Amino acid sequence: MTEKIGVLGKKSPQRTGVERVVNAPLPTVYGKFQAVGYLDHDRGDEQVALVYGEIGTDDVLTRLHSECLTGDAFGSQHCECGDQLASALRAVVAEGSGIVVYLRGHEGRGIGLLAKLRAMALQAEGLDTVEANLALGLPVDARDYGVAAGILHDLDVKSVRLMSNNPRKREALVRHGIEVAETVPLLIPPCENNITYLRTKRERLDHHLPHLDAVAHLS
């Protein structure tokens, strides 16, 4: 824990890391979850983990879901995020237990909503998602998963079965002391509006998306 100097010259503690703030029942169309709310003292973000059933400590079915307003709330077909979130929630209910960590501050792979919309405008002009971020002078992927690992540690989770196609999520959790026992693919059938985006994720961001080979007819 770091310290800061108060107005009278006295040192006062400054919280760091993630702090569990509240645990509330959250009935959803998928099932009844516990919404565990956290405050990330390092970034100031409010975070939430949706916990279903008795999760235990080992091999917990888990999704780290990056916030995506356009996909999660508006049903955008520019990406597959909304469908992935729904699939993850259904999967943990079918499993009987699991966790979906919803990571706020990850909009647009960490560049924010307005910057993401600017990048989408550039993609409409022909750039891919990587080129668009770089054209705006922004990082290709600015996300950090330390807070997700902190939440899992707080929930006493030692190892996960990670629902993800992104190898960077696995690598980040391992760096932060969470064992990844298995990577569980979360493959959503592509459509005409997102096939180029998904191919870019596979070819330039190393996402594991083998199902795209079966849809070569999409342009």
Side-chain angles (χ1 to χ4, degrees):
M1 180 180 294
T2 59
E3 294 182 320
K4 62 179 179 180
I5 304 297
V7 293
L8 298 179
K10 296 181 180 180
K11 291 183 178 180
S12 58
Q14 179 178 343
R15 298 294 299 270
T16 59
V18 294
E19 176 190 4
R20 188 193 299 204
V21 176
V22 63
N23 187 345
L26 184 68
T28 75
V29 296
Y30 308 101
K32 187 175 182 179
F33 290 79
Q34 288 293 315
V36 188
Y38 292 86
L39 179 59
D40 177 358
H41 288 284
D42 298 318
R43 298 175 59 93
D45 292 324
E46 297 174 336
Q47 305 287 4
V48 65
L50 298 184
V51 179
Y52 187 83
E54 298 295 328
I55 57 174
T57 61
D58 297 311
D59 299 348
V60 180
L61 187 63
T62 301
R63 166 74 177 165
L64 310 183
H65 189 85
S66 295
E67 177 182 29
C68 177
L69 178 67
T70 51
D72 299 340
F74 302 150
S76 169
Q77 290 189 326
H78 182 269
C79 62
E80 82 277 44
C81 300
D83 288 333
Q84 283 190 317
L85 177 59
S87 293
L89 292 168
R90 284 194 294 266
V92 298
V93 171
E95 178 84 3
S97 65
I99 305 170
V100 175
V101 181
Y102 193 86
L103 292 164
R104 303 185 68 211
H106 276 203
E107 189 77 53
R109 297 196 302 276
I111 63 175
L113 177 60
L114 295 182
K116 181 177 84 168
L117 293 176
R118 292 188 182 101
M120 288 169 62
L122 291 177
Q123 290 171 65
E125 296 175 3
L127 299 186
D128 68 31
T129 183
V130 171
E131 294 166 343
N133 281 33
L134 295 176
L136 292 169
L138 298 170
V140 173
D141 193 336
R143 290 174 293 181
D144 181 88
Y145 298 99
V147 65
I151 288 171
L152 293 175
H153 283 302
D154 178 74
L155 294 171
D156 294 325
V157 172
K158 295 180 173 59
S159 67
V160 298
R161 292 162 52 225
L162 183 64
M163 289 185 282
S164 180
N165 310 318
N166 182 357
R168 290 181 176 87
K169 288 185 180 180
R170 180 189 186 112
E171 294 163 3
L173 284 183
V174 171
R175 281 199 309 272
H176 288 285
I178 300 292
E179 179 186 347
V180 179
E182 180 186 1
T183 299
V184 180
L186 198 57
L187 305 176
I188 305 299
C191 66
E192 184 177 353
N193 290 315
N194 66 22
I195 185 63
T196 298
Y197 171 76
L198 293 175
R199 285 173 177 152
T200 300
K201 286 175 72 173
R202 181 174 69 171
E203 294 163 9
R204 304 195 64 178
L205 298 174
D206 299 323
H207 286 223
H208 186 60
L209 299 170
H211 66 310
L212 300 186
D213 294 332
V215 290
H217 63 283
L218 291 177
S219 58

